[in-house]
Amino acid sequence: MPSDLDLSTKLGDIAMKNPLVLASGVMGTSPTLLERAALSGTGAITAKSCGLKQREGHPNPVMVAWEHGLLNAIGLTNPGVDEEVELLEATKASLKPLGVPLFASIFAGSLKDFSFVAEKIKKVEPDLIEVNISCPNVHDEFGLPFAANPESAAEVTKVVKSEVGNIPISIKLAPNVPNIGVIAEAVEKAGADMITAVNTMPGMVIDAEAARPVLSNKTGGISGPALKPIALQCVAQIARSVSVPIIGTGGITTGRDAIEMIMAGASAVGVGSALWYRGPEAFELILDEIRVFMRAHSMDAIKEIIGKALKN
Ligand SMILES: Cc1cc2nc3c(=O)[nH]c(=O)nc-3n(C[C@H](O)[C@H](O)[C@H](O)COP(=O)(O)O)c2cc1C
């Protein structure tokens, strides 16, 4: 159907044809899978987080669907930065003709490793480097996430930004902090070009019959519908605290969810677990629902509704 609606948005200088972003991790880093997501309509693609060295991740079971969301503890499975560079090169080549920006994602356990991984990834020249300082599932190895306090979050931001120069960076924050606005202010001051909010929320699902947690890691990160109100609150608080753009992520399953997230102050909207709930056509379905909502409410452009709910 021809559309008079303007779904385009911007993340700094990054132009997107629509506000949807494939969230990190949900479709891995395979160039074929990421290209398929791009072909199914998303405005931008985020690859799975990559670290210095190859990681197997946690043993199965690593994911469970419960009544109100998903719980996962994949454990940052990734091929290591050298192979990641090759995968990202291939993905970049296939996304370019489609006009879909590619966001890399990196994690590390120390400032030195963040610097090293960033240095390698910058050679791919992705449109954005997302800096995952908030994975809740690797405490045993990495200790408290850098996203847990403003000082450590700012330190990582400074290190990565000084390494990658002109490539924009987005710092991915955790929902389980007392005041996410303070962390957002610290990373903005330290040079973050934007903020992705949020990563999954720590949680546990117990199998009463077996009298044990379902996941091998015992705890995991909650995503999907249960995360939405938490994510909306985090994004609204960040939007009130900083002026950099926000990729609002957490529980976006329908077009109405996406509209709510944009009204909370997000310039773009991460979509992850919705692919599990609605299948590979999730992006198309969400975009159609956004259009229906906009028409029904006489809205012309996505850009006009960013932060609308904060004014009321
Ligand atoms: C299976 C799975 C794997 C994930 N892997 C990553 C990852 O590698 N890096 C990251 O920053 N976030 C990762 N996430 C978090 C998502 O990017 C997103 O922040 C979170 O799931 C909330 O969005 P959603 O409710 O739309 O899924 C993962 C989430 C899931 C469900």
Side-chain angles (χ1 to χ4, degrees), residues 23-26 48-49 63 70 72 74 76 105 130 132 172 198-200 223-224 227 249-252 270-274:
S24 179
V26 187
K48 182 161 178 65
S49 299
M63 194 158 109
L70 304 179
N72 93 82
I74 307 281
L76 292 171
S105 170
E130 194 167 85
N132 177 6
K172 187 159 181 183
V198 286
N199 212 315
T200 54
S223 63
L227 189 58
T249 307
I252 306 308
V271 174
S273 303

Side-chain angles (χ1 to χ4, degrees), residues 121-284:
I121 292 292
K122 81 174 171 199
K123 295 192 183 116
V124 180
E125 293 184 17
D127 295 282
L128 174 80
I129 298 178
E130 194 167 85
V131 186
N132 177 6
I133 58 168
S134 47
C135 182
N137 304 324
V138 286
H139 278 208
D140 292 352
E141 286 164 84
F142 294 134
L144 213 56
F146 290 98
N149 72 67
E151 292 79 22
S152 55
E155 271 178 346
V156 178
T157 308
K158 270 189 209 142
V159 163
V160 175
K161 191 63 201 170
S162 73
E163 191 58 65
V164 304
N166 291 337
I167 301 176
I169 65 168
S170 183
I171 306 297
K172 187 159 181 183
L173 299 185
N176 51 323
V177 291
N179 185 343
I180 201 167
V182 172
I183 317 252
E185 276 171 28
V187 301
E188 181 186 54
K189 218 166 133 211
D193 299 284
M194 55 202 91
I195 289 169
T196 306
V198 286
N199 212 315
T200 54
M201 179 81 187
M204 182 187 267
V205 172
I206 287 180
D207 178 347
E209 300 297 332
R212 52 171 298 170
V214 172
L215 299 187
S216 73
N217 190 53
K218 299 188 171 53
T219 64
I222 295 170
S223 63
L227 189 58
K228 189 181 78 168
I230 297 169
L232 287 174
Q233 189 273 340
C234 288
V235 168
Q237 201 174 0
I238 295 168
R240 288 198 187 93
S241 310
V242 299
S243 56
V244 291
I246 307 165
I247 304 173
T249 307
I252 306 308
T253 317
T254 66
R256 184 181 276 262
D257 294 336
I259 296 274
E260 291 169 14
M261 185 55 94
I262 294 163
M263 287 180 167
S267 296
V269 175
V271 174
S273 303
L275 287 153
W276 189 88
Y277 288 105
R278 307 192 73 182
E281 54 290 327
F283 295 112
E284 284 164 67

Side-chain angles (χ1 to χ4, degrees), residues 27 68 149 186 268:
M27 288 189 84
H68 308 293
N149 72 67

Side-chain angles (χ1 to χ4, degrees), residues 68-91:
H68 308 293
L70 304 179
L71 184 78
N72 93 82
I74 307 281
L76 292 171
T77 307
N78 81 101
V81 69
D82 290 324
E83 196 179 328
E84 178 80 7
V85 164
E86 287 171 27
L87 294 169
L88 288 174
E89 296 279 13
T91 307

